[in-house]
């Protein structure tokens, strides 16, 4: 196999027209350059240089290898530049998994901010509702996933970065008996027909745990698993609902939204990343953007 470094030595000799000149440019001794050329000739099975006066010129085989050495040299330089850009976070690709309400309120503004600072990094966004994205993070198919704090243990090799506490609000029909209260107790909703707003999982678990702490189990008369649809059922007077603050950006005109207490239901939103992933400035930049948007009140 041809030695690429020796091909670059040959390129220097051909460019200078002499072994002495190439040695001076490369910082080698003339003897070391001659040894490299001799070794390359053995690898090639052909003479690569012929003497002309005090200098040398390439044989047809030498000219061929010199042309390839020039191509290889450019490609190595391009590879070094591309690697430096990747390691500095100027280029690359990030695969992100997210759930719907986090997408509109948190992911969209964070990615917009990230792209303004890292325009050369491609961000692949994939909605995962209602699937669990943590296996994708653990197995390296995703670089980052937005998740609600799981009740189950986090898989080995996955680290959670806290982003946001997202409280649930009571959504009531206009004219409801609690609509006039500024902050009703969660227990005041005991016995009310409930409109479901969540898929089974950690979000629904956050509601059920809070209701259990208030001393009751909600009786669901409608299952919607969609915040906009749930508001429509509430507006029609079919029941009350608990919807997280991030899910109330598009509010139905015929519902009343109230903060609840004792306790206040809460879902906790995290960014999940792979524990063993090498440090990547681009990934750190996206985490910083997500954290900044969360702090600003996503």
């Amino acid at each position: 196999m041809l030695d690429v470094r020796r091909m670059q030595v040959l390129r220097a000799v051909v460019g200078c027209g002499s072994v002495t000149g190439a040695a001076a440019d490369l910082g080698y001794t003339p003897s070391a350059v001659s040894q490299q050329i001799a070794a390359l000739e053995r690898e090639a099975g052909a003479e690569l240089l012929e003497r002309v006066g005090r200098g040398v010129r390439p044989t047809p085989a030498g000219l061929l290898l010199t042309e390839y050495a020039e191509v290889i040299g450019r490609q190595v330089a391009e590879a070094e530049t591309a690697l430096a850009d990747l390691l500095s976070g100027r280029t690359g690709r990030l695969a992100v998994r997210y759930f719907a309400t986090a997408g509109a309120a948190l992911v969209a503004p964070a990615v917009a901010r990230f792209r303004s600072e890292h325009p050369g990094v491609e961000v692949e966004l994939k909605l995962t509702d209602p699937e669990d994205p943590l296996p994708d993070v653990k197995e390296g198919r995703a670089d980052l996933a937005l998740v609600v704090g799981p009740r189950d243990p986090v898989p080995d090799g996955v680290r959670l970065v806290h982003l946001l506490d997202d409280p649930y609000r009571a959504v009531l029909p206009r004219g409801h008996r609690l609509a006039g209260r500024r902050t009703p107790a969660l227990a005041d909703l005991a016995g009310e027909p409930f409109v479901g707003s969540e898929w089974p999982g950690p979000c629904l678990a956050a509601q059920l745990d809070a209701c259990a702490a208030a001393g009751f189990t909600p009786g669901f008369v409608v299952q919607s698993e969609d915040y906009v649809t749930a508001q429509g059922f509430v507006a029609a007077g079919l029941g009350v609902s608990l919807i997280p603050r991030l899910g109330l950006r598009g509010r139905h005109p015929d519902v009343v939204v109230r903060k609840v207490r004792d306790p206040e239901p809460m879902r906790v939103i995290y960014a999940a990343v792979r524990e063993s992933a090498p440090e990547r400035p681009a990934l750190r930049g996206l985490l910083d953007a997500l954290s900044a948007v969360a702090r600003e009140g996503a």
Side-chain angles (χ1 to χ4, degrees):
M1 181 178 293
L2 298 174
D3 187 292
V4 174
R5 290 171 297 179
R6 289 169 181 158
M7 290 175 65
Q8 298 306 315
V9 173
L10 172 64
R11 177 187 173 194
V13 172
V14 173
C16 291
S18 70
V19 170
T20 302
D25 286 350
L26 296 172
Y28 296 164
T29 64
S31 175
V33 171
S34 296
Q35 290 174 8
Q36 293 293 311
I37 296 299
L40 184 59
E41 287 179 330
R42 289 193 296 272
E43 293 170 353
E47 292 186 4
L48 303 176
L49 297 172
E50 58 182 353
R51 290 194 171 277
V52 179
R54 295 184 178 181
V56 293
R57 68 183 177 192
T59 65
L63 182 60
L64 177 71
L65 290 188
T66 298
E67 291 172 349
Y68 274 100
E70 291 176 356
V71 172
I72 292 169
R74 287 196 300 271
Q75 291 177 334
V76 170
E78 291 170 1
E80 290 174 343
T81 300
L83 180 60
D85 287 342
L86 177 66
L87 295 179
S88 66
R90 292 190 294 271
T91 62
R93 177 177 172 277
L94 293 174
V96 177
R97 306 290 185 262
Y98 69 97
F99 58 94
T101 48
L106 187 59
V107 176
V111 170
R113 178 179 302 207
F114 172 79
R115 282 180 173 168
S116 70
E117 299 172 357
H118 301 265
V121 179
E122 177 187 355
V123 181
E124 174 206 271
L125 299 171
K126 181 179 178 181
L127 183 66
T128 57
D129 285 342
E131 300 172 3
D132 180 5
L134 292 182
D136 280 358
V137 174
K138 180 179 180 179
E139 296 165 19
R141 294 188 296 271
D143 299 294
L144 182 149
L146 274 292
V147 297
V148 173
R151 302 181 81 186
D152 298 329
V154 178
D156 291 340
V158 175
R159 176 169 59 93
L160 297 183
V161 179
H162 177 265
L163 294 177
L164 183 69
D165 294 338
D166 189 21
Y168 280 83
R169 301 299 188 224
V171 181
L172 313 171
R174 288 195 179 275
H176 189 274
R177 62 183 179 85
L178 299 176
R181 297 191 190 180
R182 185 178 181 86
T183 310
L186 184 58
D188 292 335
L189 298 177
E192 293 279 350
F194 265 73
V195 174
S197 65
E198 301 285 12
W199 292 94
C203 293
L204 179 58
Q207 287 190 33
L208 297 179
D209 288 348
C211 291
F216 73 99
T217 299
F220 292 101
V221 296
V222 179
Q223 296 288 351
S224 67
E225 288 99 18
D226 175 82
Y227 300 140
V228 173
T229 304
Q231 290 185 64
F233 283 119
V234 172
L238 299 182
V240 302
S241 190
L242 291 171
I243 296 179
R245 186 176 60 191
L246 290 186
L248 289 167
R249 299 258 167 151
R251 189 172 299 183
H252 195 290
D254 294 325
V255 302
V256 174
V257 176
R258 292 290 181 264
K259 183 177 180 180
V260 292
R261 56 181 172 81
D262 302 327
E264 181 182 43
M266 188 80 66
R267 66 177 186 174
V268 185
I269 299 175
Y270 296 90
V273 296
R274 189 158 47 96
E275 189 73 60
S276 60
E279 178 64 26
R280 295 172 60 188
L283 181 57
R284 170 48 54 190
L286 182 55
L287 277 171
D288 289 345
L290 286 165
S291 297
V293 171
R295 286 194 305 270
E296 292 165 6

